């Protein structure tokens, strides 16, 4: 048992965080919005250059062969930066789906993206900029080129979330697999949770910086206890969502993954609300970056399953499975312990 | 990251489980705060634990411990709570002072105090708070005056848990004329020493859980000081780190309570409002999150890391979790929630939930009030201005 990130994992997280800190500032986000483009070509090129789309693709297919923990760290960094490009769903959901279906990754590692229409989500994100879409017909998985479907854009509160209703028709030629949607759900949920955790931390950090500068009554507002306590309370939520997320990524347990989503959503909600409050009217304005985080949190908190959906998944386990202090990890092996000790 | 127990850890769990199954008293002991008998029954249990080598598993073997790492400590605690073993009457000693003694004590002090602590022969109380020094602990006024090889202690301590029956206490004392964090020393004194008067104080449920200590020229040898003279503050903060951060509240305590809460809910789900179900699930998830977080901290400390601001985040989280667990139980019990265990119509476990709730109200106050912990998080973890 060793619940620590490895040095390589830590370095990966820092490297992605650093790259995004340089390329994805609030000013960069605003510039992208004004351009009307769906992605910043230079930033995306850098992301692809680092091989991030292939994080979870096997090395034999030209990927990095890394796991859900590494992808969760990358997704956390993307959440922290409020990254507009569809790296997380592409690398964390679409590519593992293609790999599981035994399909060719094509150009998916070299810049082209694939959008995912998981049945749990009513709309497909970033479908317009994708080269292809993975879509569900009951349990079956279909892969369609972008120009084989028609899209109706749905405006989201998050200006960077390009949502679409997809009109399409399944056929034998487009079908590439079946029985793969459950695993895709767990990936989608886990990496949404990771983004929520990252954006929660960003909301606290932005607020700490602002509260240390902004003066009222002759001192920084951050010296006032009411302000401190808003942010300390949010930080406690972040601290206790993080180990759940990492354990969920490491164990791939659906119950923990749902727990991680609930905890990260609560942390993001607390942190973004505190951020609006701590920034005062600035927090309610377009000028500071807080609203980008607030909007992303609103969207991701309901995407990939609402809190109610995830509570039901946790409830199914909690209200029927045997529980206890000895069951935090490795439930199977515990049975052996029981018979040994009996 | 490897979230699997090693075979050796699994074997350790089986060993603990077997020993506890053979030794945990079949009937619960009388509580250790209400009567001397209850206290002594718990002392006997500490002795039994010690004879089995389970007094304090993380301590070095020569001081009555087992020399085990923190993951094994967590496993031990999981099995301990799972087995329903008695609460530890010597927790101020073994969980708080003990680790500090191991870090700062001289070899003579360790040899003198640790084995007797591990065996339950000497049960400890913590004498930090004073009537004028609660949250502002650096405001203590009790003094230690050097007189040759002795200190002469004088002053008034308060809220000292378990001091009514305990044998020894550790407290913060200042050199006369010193101010705030300077000139403080951490000194041990026997509670039956000449000049010590112990006055029990009843908790809000009427039990004499804590005490006031009046110290009138109490003489103790200078060798009863832990750490350097005048350095008591940093030594005491190390103890506070253990108290808030790790040892005082192991996750198993809350995981077992959460499992009981779920069982209570399963048994009575029909009459319960839907929102209560969400609270039950949340409490269970929070207990799980607390366990994961402590495992992560333990892994980090075992790899040579130092305990940091997580002491304050943990303190807030476990105390609020404890409150939520019990408040939710009372919500399930509805009109029966006000029944004490003595009520003829009280079902077996009802009184325990009420007692637990009353105790959980204290969590956000002791071990450093949560408001103070939030200040610490804001200033030391987030770097906000003072
Ligand atoms: C069950 C129980 C057991 C205890 N056991 C022991 C023991 O064994 N040994 C021991 O030494 N002590 C013990 N204590 C005492 C405990 O450590 C103190 O109660 C605690 O430190 C708070 O101090 P106080 O009670 O004087 O409250 P105060 O310091 O008077 O605080 C009262 C309220 O004001 C708030 N407050 C104070 N200062 C600030 C500030 N700067 N900013 C914001 N809010 C503030 C506090 O958070 C609290 O809500 C125990 C207490 C309890 C309830």
């Amino acid at each position: 048992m060793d619940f620590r990130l490895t040095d390589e994992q830590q370095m990966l997280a820092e490297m992605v965080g650093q790259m995004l800190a340089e390329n994805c500032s609030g000013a960069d986000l605003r510039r992208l919005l004004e351009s009307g483009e769906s992605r910043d070509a230079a930033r995306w090129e850098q992301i692809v250059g680092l091989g991030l789309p292939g994080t979870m693709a096997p090395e034999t297919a030209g990927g990095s062969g890394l796991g859900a923990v590494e992808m969760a760290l990358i997704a956390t960094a993307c959440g922290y930066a409020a990254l507009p490009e569809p790296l997380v769903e592409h690398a964390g959901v679409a590519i593992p789906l293609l790999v599981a279906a035994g399909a060719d990754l094509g150009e998916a590692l070299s810049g082209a993206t694939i959008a995912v229409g998981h049945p749990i989500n009513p709309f497909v994100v970033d479908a317009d900029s994708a080269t292809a879409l993975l879509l569900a017909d009951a349990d079956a998985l279909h892969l369609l080129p972008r120009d084989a479907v028609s899209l109706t854009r749905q405006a989201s509160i998050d200006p960077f979330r390009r949502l679409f209703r997809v009109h399409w028709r399944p056929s034998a030629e487009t079908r590439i697999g079946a029985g793969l949607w459950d695993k895709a759900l767990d990936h989608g949920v886990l990496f949404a949770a990771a983004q929520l955790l990252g954006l929660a931390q960003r909301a606290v950090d932005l607020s700490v910086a602002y509260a240390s500068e902004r003066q009222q009554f002759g001192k920084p507002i951050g010296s006032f206890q009411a302000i401190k306590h808003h942010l300390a309370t949010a930080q406690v939520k972040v601290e206790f969502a993080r180990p759940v997320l990492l354990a969920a990524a490491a164990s791939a347990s659906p119950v923990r993954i749902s727990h991680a989503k609930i905890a990260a959503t609560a942390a993001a909600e607390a942190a973004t609300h505190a951020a609006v409050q701590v920034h005062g009217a600035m927090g309610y304005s377009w000028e500071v970056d807080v609203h980008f985080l607030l909007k992303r949190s609103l969207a991701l908190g309901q995407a990939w399953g609402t809190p109610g959906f995830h509570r039901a998944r946790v409830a199914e386990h909690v209200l029927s499975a045997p529980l206890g202090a000895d069951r935090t990890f490795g439930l199977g092996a515990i049975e052996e312990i029981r018979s040994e000790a009996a | 990251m490897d979230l699997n127990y090693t075979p050796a850890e699994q074997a350790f769990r089986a060993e603990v489980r077997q020993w506890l199954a053979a030794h945990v008293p079949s009937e619960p002991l009388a509580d250790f705060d209400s009567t001397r008998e209850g206290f002594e029954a718990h002392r006997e249990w500490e002795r039994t634990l010690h004879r089995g080598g389970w007094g304090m598993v993380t301590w070095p073997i020569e001081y009555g411990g087992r020399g085990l790492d923190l993951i094994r400590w967590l496993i031990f605690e999981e099995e301990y709570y799972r087995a329903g073993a008695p609460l530890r009457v010597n927790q101020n000693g073994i969980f708080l002072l003990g680790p500090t003694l191991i870090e700062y004590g001289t070899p003579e002090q360790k040899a003198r105090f640790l084995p007797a602590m591990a065996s339950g022969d000497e049960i400890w109380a913590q004498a930090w708070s004073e009537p004028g020094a609660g949250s502002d602990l650096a405001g203590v006024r009790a003094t230690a005056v050097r007189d040759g090889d002795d200190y002469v202690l004088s002053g008034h301590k308060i809220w000292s848990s378990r001091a009514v029956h305990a044998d020894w206490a550790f407290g913060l004392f200042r050199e006369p004329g010193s101010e705030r964090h300077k000139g403080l020393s951490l000194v041990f004194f026997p509670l039956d020493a000449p000049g010590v008067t112990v006055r029990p104080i009843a908790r809000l449920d009427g039990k004499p859980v804590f005490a006031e200590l009046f110290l009138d020229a109490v003489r103790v040898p200078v060798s009863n000081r832990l750490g350097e003279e005048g350095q008591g503050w940093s030594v005491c903060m190390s103890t506070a780190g253990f108290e808030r951060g790790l040892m005082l509240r192991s996750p198993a305590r809350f995981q077992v309570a959460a499992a009981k809460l779920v069982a209570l809910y399963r048994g009575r789900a029909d009459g319960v409002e839907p929102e209560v179900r969400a609270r039950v699930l949340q409490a269970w998830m929070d207990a799980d999150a607390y366990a994961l977080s402590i495992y992560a901290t333990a892994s980090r400390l075992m790899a040579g890391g130092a305990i940091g601001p997580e002491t304050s985040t943990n303190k807030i989280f476990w105390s609020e979790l404890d409150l939520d667990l019990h408040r939710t139980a009372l919500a399930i019990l509805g009109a029966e929630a006000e029944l004490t265990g003595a009520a003829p119509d009280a079902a077996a476990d009802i009184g325990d939930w009420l007692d637990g709730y009353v105790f959980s109200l204290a969590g956000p106050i002791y071990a450093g009030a949560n408001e103070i912990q939030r200040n610490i998080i804001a200033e030391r973890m987030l770097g906000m201005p003072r």
Side-chain angles (χ1 to χ4, degrees):
Chain A
M1 165 80 53
D2 184 1
F3 200 153
R4 283 180 308 145
L5 295 175
T6 62
D7 291 345
E8 292 76 24
Q9 288 168 335
Q10 217 126 31
M11 273 161 54
L12 174 70
E14 275 161 29
M15 189 255 298
V16 177
Q18 186 65 36
M19 183 269 293
L20 293 175
E22 283 161 17
N23 295 310
C24 195
S25 67
D28 294 323
L29 293 180
R30 280 163 230 278
R31 200 168 338 100
L32 181 65
L33 272 187
E34 278 158 27
S35 76
E37 299 288 323
S38 68
R39 52 180 84 151
D40 178 303
R43 181 165 56 225
W44 186 246
E45 202 174 302
Q46 218 167 354
I47 288 170
V48 174
L50 289 173
L52 298 181
T55 303
M56 296 183 81
E59 282 171 290
T60 49
S64 315
L66 297 173
V69 173
E70 287 82 4
M71 187 62 219
L73 296 173
I74 293 169
T76 305
C78 294
Y80 192 88
L83 181 75
E85 288 79 27
L87 172 66
V88 174
E89 290 199 359
H90 175 63
V93 187
I95 288 182
L97 253 178
L98 287 177
V99 170
D104 187 42
L105 294 182
E107 294 175 346
L109 303 184
S110 51
T113 58
I114 296 164
V116 182
H118 195 282
I120 196 156
N121 291 323
F123 308 113
V124 179
V125 188
D126 295 305
D128 61 336
S129 58
T131 50
L133 290 83
L134 285 163
L135 297 167
D137 177 41
D139 193 36
L141 176 68
H142 292 258
L143 179 65
L144 286 90
R146 157 72 187 86
D147 53 19
V149 305
S150 75
L151 303 174
T152 314
R153 175 103 191 237
Q154 315 285 332
S156 163
I157 170 94
D158 179 347
F160 297 108
R161 292 222 347 141
R162 300 166 74 95
L163 298 180
F164 298 89
R165 172 81 68 196
V166 180
H167 311 275
W168 67 293
R169 201 161 289 134
S171 74
E173 290 82 69
T174 60
R175 185 187 152 108
I176 60 165
L180 300 170
W181 288 112
D182 286 354
K183 185 75 195 157
L185 175 67
D186 284 342
H187 282 146
V189 175
L190 183 65
F191 304 133
Q195 292 178 80
L196 284 159
L197 185 75
L199 73 84
Q201 186 66 64
R202 177 72 174 288
V204 172
D205 291 354
L206 276 180
S207 306
V208 167
Y210 183 76
S212 305
E213 292 293 317
R214 169 75 175 160
Q215 305 247 337
Q216 288 291 282
F217 302 98
K219 13 180 187 173
I221 56 169
S223 65
F224 298 120
Q225 218 165 39
I227 295 292
K228 283 183 174 150
H229 287 196
H230 277 313
L231 300 179
T233 299
Q235 188 65 36
V236 171
K237 285 197 189 295
V238 172
E239 293 302 321
F240 284 87
R242 191 179 298 124
V244 180
L245 177 81
L246 290 175
S251 69
S253 142
V255 176
R256 277 256 160 74
I257 288 173
S258 279
H259 179 182
K261 178 85 179 341
I262 292 168
T265 302
E269 190 175 295
T272 54
H273 287 187
V276 172
Q277 185 68 20
V278 165
H279 281 78
M282 279 302 262
Y284 203 75
S285 79
W286 184 261
E287 306 296 318
V288 297
D289 299 340
V290 172
H291 66 97
F292 291 132
L293 301 165
L294 178 83
K295 292 165 181 171
R296 186 69 47 87
S297 137
L298 211 68
L300 288 177
Q302 302 296 329
W304 292 104
T306 62
F309 171 85
H310 291 293
R311 261 197 301 276
R313 290 219 305 180
V314 173
E316 204 186 322
H317 169 76
V318 170
L319 298 180
S320 62
L323 306 175
D326 55 335
R327 291 172 177 278
T328 311
F329 303 103
L331 309 189
I334 297 299
E335 291 311 317
E336 295 160 30
I337 295 290
R338 172 147 311 125
S339 51
E340 262 175 61
Chain B
M1 189 158 21
D2 178 5
L3 300 187
N4 296 297
Y5 294 111
T6 63
E9 286 163 348
Q10 295 282 42
F12 173 71
R13 183 188 292 282
E15 186 190 349
V16 179
R17 187 169 291 185
Q18 217 147 21
W19 189 88
L20 289 168
H23 291 87
V24 169
S26 48
E27 286 296 308
L29 306 180
D31 93 85
F32 49 61
D33 284 316
S34 300
T35 60
R36 169 60 78 176
E37 293 75 61
F39 190 86
E40 291 305 329
H42 279 80
R43 187 199 293 277
E44 243 348 274
W45 167 246
E46 290 292 321
R47 291 194 169 122
T48 305
L49 272 175
H50 179 64
R51 276 193 299 273
W54 303 106
M56 198 52 211
V57 296
T58 55
W59 289 9
I61 294 164
E62 67 256 46
Y63 302 130
R66 239 174 220 256
L68 300 181
D69 62 35
L70 288 171
I71 297 290
R72 282 179 176 74
W73 170 69
L74 284 164
I75 294 171
F76 173 77
E77 290 280 308
E78 286 166 4
E79 293 300 318
Y80 193 87
Y81 279 96
R82 184 182 170 279
L87 291 177
R88 305 295 298 267
V89 65
N90 206 12
Q91 53 177 277
N92 284 316
I94 54 180
F95 296 147
L96 306 184
L97 181 59
T100 320
L101 245 169
I102 289 169
E103 197 173 324
Y104 292 93
T106 62
E108 295 75 31
Q109 287 176 324
K110 293 185 202 181
R112 161 64 190 84
F113 292 109
L114 290 171
M117 202 183 276
S119 66
D121 287 338
E122 287 174 351
I123 294 183
W124 286 76
Q126 183 188 56
W128 285 358
S129 304
E130 295 183 9
S135 298
D136 185 14
L137 188 58
V140 291
R141 286 169 38 198
T143 53
V145 178
R146 188 80 182 247
D147 181 18
D149 287 340
D150 288 345
Y151 281 121
V152 178
L153 309 177
S154 306
H156 180 184
K157 297 287 180 178
I158 195 167
W159 311 127
S160 194
S161 295
R162 242 135 286 142
V164 182
H165 304 300
D167 308 295
W168 278 82
F170 56 100
L172 266 186
F173 295 88
R174 71 169 60 254
E175 191 183 317
S178 64
E179 293 280 343
R180 307 291 301 161
H181 307 80
K182 299 203 183 78
L184 293 169
S185 294
L186 199 153
V187 183
F188 310 151
F189 55 97
L191 283 161
D192 62 358
V196 178
T197 307
V198 179
R199 194 183 74 84
I201 308 176
R203 198 164 66 172
L204 53 76
D205 59 3
K207 289 182 186 169
V209 171
F210 26 45
E212 260 179 309
L213 308 175
F214 299 93
L215 305 173
D216 181 14
V218 178
R219 208 164 250 284
V220 295
V222 167
S223 58
N224 279 14
R225 186 192 69 227
L226 180 56
E228 296 301 307
E229 189 165 74
Q231 299 300 308
W233 183 258
S234 61
V235 184
C236 140
M237 282 304 111
S238 155
T239 309
F242 287 112
E243 181 169 21
R244 293 168 198 153
L246 215 58
M247 290 273 167
L248 182 66
R249 293 291 175 253
S250 69
R253 177 192 181 105
F254 306 109
Q255 290 177 294
V256 166
K260 283 189 184 152
L261 178 69
V262 170
L264 182 74
Y265 173 79
R266 282 185 198 163
R268 296 174 176 244
D270 282 353
V272 175
E273 292 162 43
E275 60 110 14
V276 174
R277 173 187 160 103
R279 288 168 62 188
V280 170
L281 294 173
Q282 191 61 50
W284 183 86
M285 286 189 281
D286 287 346
D288 186 56
Y290 183 60
L292 294 172
S293 156
I294 298 292
Y295 266 97
T297 302
S299 297
R300 203 170 53 67
L301 294 179
M302 279 164 59
I307 194 145
E310 66 266 41
T311 61
S312 293
T313 56
N314 287 359
K315 164 72 215 304
I316 290 174
F317 198 80
W318 63 247
S319 57
E320 294 186 349
L321 163 61
D322 203 30
L323 262 177
D324 287 345
L325 277 164
H326 289 92
R327 274 197 292 238
T328 306
L330 299 192
I332 295 170
L333 290 169
E336 286 171 73
E338 69 169 299
L339 296 184
T340 75
D345 283 355
D349 57 350
I350 283 190
D352 291 348
W353 286 115
L354 190 59
D355 286 349
Y357 169 68
V358 168
F359 187 64
S360 74
L361 285 173
I365 301 170
Y366 65 78
N370 285 8
E371 287 75 12
I372 304 301
Q373 304 311 317
R374 288 192 159 86
N375 293 348
I376 294 174
I377 293 169
E379 287 164 13
R380 304 209 199 127
M381 190 170 182
L382 300 177
M384 295 178 77
R386 282 172 184 273

